[in-house]
Amino acid sequence: MIRVLLADDQSLVRAGFKALLDAQPDIEVAGEAADGEEALRRVRELRPDVVLMDIRMPALDGLAATRRITDDDALKGVKVIMLTTFELDEYVFEAIRSGASGFLVKDTEPDELLRAVRAVVEGDALLSPGVTRRLIAEFAARSKEPGVEGALAELTEREREVMALVGIGLSNDEIARRLVVSPLTAKTHVSRTMVKLGARDRAQLVVLAYESGLVRPGWLG
């Protein structure tokens, strides 16, 4: 059973998400929070698998709450999906850099929300359909200058190649087709790369791909 915490200052939004999630046989809403401070308390108390975190909340915003969650080693297993009204909210880029597993716009289709919750539990990054490449391109434009490639020293050439493809927004299936390997092999390469680099998920792998200089703005085509 996947346990979810809902953090949003709008009770109607929480009620809608709760009704959808609780109707699933493999998902349950473990708790709710109306602001960032309450979200932190509830996360520490309940240890949910996934937090659906609104970016803009009173007391402590979702971005600050996400930083505290992802910086806490005791909460390492908790995945955060940011919720936003706008597809390219300016805070989303910093949220992903801070360890969020991805983001969804609030008017996303119900099936996509359910896929999101299940995907992040499996360690996949989640971005709303149709905005993945635009998000990465915008992130790249805002990111700091590429650093040295020392962090990539432990990677094999194939793992670097796979990391670069993750960095430009390709899924495991797309990577498999590009490299003419099976999807399972592509997934294995991605997983090994994340382990070697200490990345929480694919979203952080994208960040590392840009910050190491392995991928640079303009490569999206």
Side-chain angles (χ1 to χ4, degrees):
M1 185 68 72
I2 300 171
R3 302 173 68 249
V4 179
L5 176 74
L6 302 176
D8 195 296
D9 61 335
Q10 298 181 38
S11 58
L12 189 59
V13 171
R14 296 198 309 273
F17 284 162
K18 179 175 172 58
L20 173 65
L21 295 171
D22 277 343
Q24 308 306 307
D26 59 333
I27 302 174
E28 67 175 1
V29 175
E32 300 180 34
D35 59 57
E37 291 285 4
E38 185 180 7
L40 279 174
R41 290 195 299 271
R42 298 291 276 165
V43 166
R44 288 169 179 147
E45 172 192 351
L46 300 171
R47 302 296 171 92
D49 300 299
V50 179
V51 181
L52 291 178
M53 181 85 75
D54 187 23
I55 285 183
R56 297 188 177 98
M57 290 187 292
L60 184 72
D61 66 31
L63 180 58
T66 296
R67 280 190 187 127
R68 295 191 192 181
I69 291 170
T70 58
D71 285 345
D72 190 337
D73 287 340
L75 303 176
K76 193 170 293 186
V78 179
K79 304 291 187 181
V80 179
I81 298 174
M82 305 300 295
L83 297 171
T84 179
T85 306
F86 308 103
E87 287 186 343
L88 292 177
D89 190 295
E90 62 180 342
Y91 298 114
V92 168
F93 312 107
E94 188 61 32
I96 291 179
R97 189 195 296 272
S98 298
S101 294
F103 83 103
L104 285 172
V105 290
K106 285 187 177 180
D107 62 355
T108 190
E109 293 295 325
D111 285 349
E112 182 60 29
L113 175 65
L114 297 175
R115 280 195 295 270
V117 170
R118 294 174 178 126
V120 297
V121 169
E122 295 297 322
D124 290 334
L126 189 284
L127 305 171
S128 289
V131 304
T132 304
R133 294 196 178 211
R134 281 195 292 142
L135 175 69
I136 292 173
E138 183 70 13
F139 170 80
R142 293 166 181 246
S143 66
K144 63 186 181 184
E145 287 298 309
V148 297
E149 291 193 6
L152 309 184
E154 293 186 24
L155 301 185
T156 65
E157 285 301 315
R158 176 46 61 93
E159 286 166 350
R160 286 182 179 225
E161 189 176 11
V162 168
M163 182 177 175
L165 295 175
V166 170
I168 62 172
L170 299 193
S171 67
N172 286 347
D173 286 346
E174 290 170 330
I175 291 171
R177 288 194 293 272
R178 179 75 65 91
L179 300 180
V180 195
V181 298
S182 71
L184 179 59
T185 298
K187 182 177 181 179
T188 298
H189 283 310
V190 172
S191 297
R192 287 177 179 168
T193 303
M194 286 179 4
V195 169
K196 287 183 178 181
L197 297 177
R200 288 170 61 98
D201 50 36
R202 292 174 76 101
Q204 282 203 326
L205 204 56
V206 170
V207 173
L208 291 171
Y210 280 101
E211 293 189 340
S212 67
L214 185 64
V215 177
R216 295 180 175 83
W219 284 20
L220 296 179

